[in-house]
Amino acid sequence: MAEERMTVVKGLDVARYMGRWYEIASFPSRNQPKNGSNTRATYTLNPDDGTVNVLNETWTDGKRGFIQGTAYKADPSNDEAKLKVKFYVPPFLPIFPVTGDYWVLYIDSDYQHALVGQPSRSSLWILCRKPDLDEGTYKELVEKAEAEGYDVSKLHKTPQADPPPESETAPNDTKGIWWIKSILGK
């Protein structure tokens, strides 16, 4: 099932896509903390060059782990929402970049929930603007993923606190390497 066709959003309004997204469910990477919770991504547009600043955060045992990176369109002339995300490894020492695919497979018209995958189908994320997503919408997104050839039995729901934890108040956990492996679907 390697590089079979996958439906990708066309004409994504990148400005509307910016802001915070909560991870409702994902394919856990082997390296992701098993008890990670409150995982989220915050995207901010870089007005100078149209790239996107990415901040990924997760909490493990009350400690905040995070990694920052940049996202940009894989092919600026293509209308499809196929992005590349580039992180530096290790996150606190920008030595060499690691790049992964980020394909927006579905987004609702109000930009409130999204399905994100990769061409290899080894990673999948269900994202929402709020820490919880109603079961009906969740099932619809799972069905869309399944129709695109993803093994949805691997989906794992991410625990989210409501209200979410504040980034500033948490002690930092700098073992952010699992993010890299996660984005590459390792």
Side-chain angles (χ1 to χ4, degrees), residues 74-106:
D75 174 4
S77 66
N78 189 324
D79 195 27
E80 292 185 315
K82 293 180 175 178
L83 304 179
K84 291 276 184 195
V85 184
K86 183 165 68 178
F87 292 103
Y88 287 92
V89 193
F92 38 90
L93 266 180
I95 298 177
F96 59 95
V98 169
T99 308
D101 291 288
Y102 182 109
W103 288 12
V104 183
L105 307 178
Y106 173 80

Side-chain angles (χ1 to χ4, degrees), residues 124-180:
L124 185 68
W125 294 272
I126 291 177
L127 305 176
C128 183
R129 292 293 192 184
K130 301 195 298 280
D132 61 286
L133 180 62
D134 69 273
E135 200 53 37
T137 308
Y138 178 78
K139 283 202 173 86
E140 276 172 41
L141 292 171
V142 170
E143 280 163 20
K144 284 179 193 302
E146 194 164 24
E148 294 297 341
Y150 286 85
D151 175 4
V152 294
S153 69
K154 294 194 297 198
L155 269 175
H156 174 79
K157 284 197 176 178
T158 307
Q160 292 284 354
D162 201 357
E166 290 302 319
S167 304
E168 293 70 37
T169 55
N172 286 335
D173 172 3
T174 48
K175 301 191 298 291
I177 300 304
W178 66 269
W179 278 118
I180 305 289

Side-chain angles (χ1 to χ4, degrees), residues 21-34 36-40 56-58 102 114-118 121-128 133 138 141-142 145 150-160 178-179 182-183 185:
W21 289 92
Y22 295 93
E23 181 186 280
I24 301 301
S26 68
F27 285 179
S29 101
R30 282 200 312 271
N31 310 282
Q32 192 164 346
K34 286 281 176 285
S37 63
N38 300 308
T39 305
R40 63 195 188 205
N56 283 345
E57 301 172 281
T58 196
Y102 182 109
L115 186 66
V116 176
Q118 292 182 312
R121 292 181 174 80
S122 56
S123 295
L124 185 68
W125 294 272
I126 291 177
L127 305 176
C128 183
L133 180 62
Y138 178 78
L141 292 171
V142 170
Y150 286 85
D151 175 4
V152 294
S153 69
K154 294 194 297 198
L155 269 175
H156 174 79
K157 284 197 176 178
T158 307
Q160 292 284 354
W178 66 269
W179 278 118
S182 163
I183 202 75

